[in-house]
Amino acid sequence: MTKKNNQHSNVQDHNGIRISYHEKVCAERMKTLFKAIDEMSKDIKSLKSDMNKGKGAAAILLLIGGILGSIIHYFTK
């Protein structure tokens, strides 16, 4: 009867070690995922600001082109 209890105890100890190892591995994975998500968030913010600058530059070019086109059309008419 003590053999069964001893085997059961060994199984619990072994499972405890496996669960502990699994928790450690998962914690490392989660740290890596959080770090990657933070980096992607920073990259996305940077891309958004670059796009906004590009939109502003395009709008200014269109405005200047429209003004120049109007002036040229006025004098050539």
Side-chain angles (χ1 to χ4, degrees), residues 31-48:
K31 285 180 187 176
T32 303
L33 286 172
F34 286 139
K35 184 176 179 183
I37 290 170
D38 288 341
E39 289 175 3
M40 283 191 283
S41 177
K42 289 176 186 175
D43 290 341
I44 289 170
K45 286 179 183 178
S46 173
L47 288 171
K48 282 183 180 180

Side-chain angles (χ1 to χ4, degrees), residues 14-28:
H14 182 66
N15 286 338
I17 292 170
R18 289 178 66 190
I19 290 172
S20 174
Y21 176 75
H22 176 73
E23 288 174 347
K24 183 187 282 187
V25 170
C26 284
E28 287 297 319

Side-chain angles (χ1 to χ4, degrees), residues 43-66:
D43 290 341
I44 289 170
K45 286 179 183 178
S46 173
L47 288 171
K48 282 183 180 180
S49 70
D50 290 345
M51 287 300 298
N52 288 334
K53 288 176 188 175
K55 287 179 187 177
I60 290 172
L61 288 175
L62 285 173
L63 180 67
I64 292 172

